[in-house]
Amino acid sequence: MNVRQLFNKWVILGALLFAGFLFLITAISIGWKKPPQSADVGFAPADVTVIPASTSTSSALPTPTIDPFAPTVVPTGIATGNYVQITGTNGEGLRIRSEPGLTGEPVFLGYDSEVFIVQDGPRDADGYVWWYLVAPYDETRAGWAAADFLSYVPAP
């Protein structure tokens, strides 16, 4: 059989028409048509929160008072009702215990810069002065901590 007979002008024209038809169907199916109308959403304002730059925290100790009902101020500035933060653990954290002293069961680990409210103390045990601390954001985070790893911070 002759190859020229297989590829005459009618076969070629039919193949081109068929290819054009397939191209048109493909173009329509992948999106060469009018895009759908988008819904008009209008203007949506955004909420902006401005956070002021941080300022240095005063390291001044609280002023002692003569009021007998006022918290007792000790030289470290730590007293019941004051705020303290954990310092000096070199990133290892401070074991907050169920009782004052090294024999008290550790309840949780407090991290450097974590802030607590002093609710009880001081108590002397095992060569340390112990204070009962409660986290202001979670009252379940409470226990006794050694004063060597606490520093006074002013109330927020």
Side-chain angles (χ1 to χ4, degrees):
M1 179 169 227
N2 190 356
V3 173
R4 216 164 176 23
Q5 287 177 343
L6 288 176
F7 293 106
N8 64 34
K9 65 180 177 181
W10 296 110
V11 172
I12 294 174
L13 182 63
L16 287 174
L17 285 174
F18 186 69
F21 176 73
L22 289 178
F23 178 76
L24 181 65
I25 295 297
T26 304
I28 290 172
S29 67
I30 62 171
W32 281 15
K33 56 185 179 182
K34 183 178 177 183
Q37 293 290 340
S38 63
D40 186 21
V41 293
F43 177 75
D47 291 330
V48 176
T49 303
V50 177
I51 301 172
S54 62
T55 59
S56 63
T57 303
S58 171
S59 60
L61 298 177
T63 306
T65 181
I66 301 174
D67 184 357
F69 299 106
T72 305
V73 177
V74 294
T76 61
I78 301 172
T80 56
N82 284 357
Y83 285 81
V84 294
Q85 76 178 15
I86 297 174
T87 58
T89 68
N90 296 324
E92 293 182 20
L94 177 63
R95 289 178 195 89
I96 309 297
R97 300 178 181 272
S98 61
E99 298 173 11
L102 297 174
T103 58
E105 185 71 29
V107 180
F108 67 94
L109 189 65
Y111 299 103
D112 277 343
S113 301
E114 192 170 0
V115 176
F116 293 88
I117 300 171
V118 179
Q119 286 195 346
D120 195 7
R123 303 263 174 87
D124 290 319
D126 299 324
Y128 293 97
V129 176
W130 296 84
W131 295 94
Y132 187 77
L133 309 178
V134 177
Y137 55 89
D138 183 3
E139 290 187 10
T140 63
R141 289 181 61 86
W144 292 90
D148 291 8
F149 301 99
L150 304 174
S151 64
Y152 167 79
V153 292

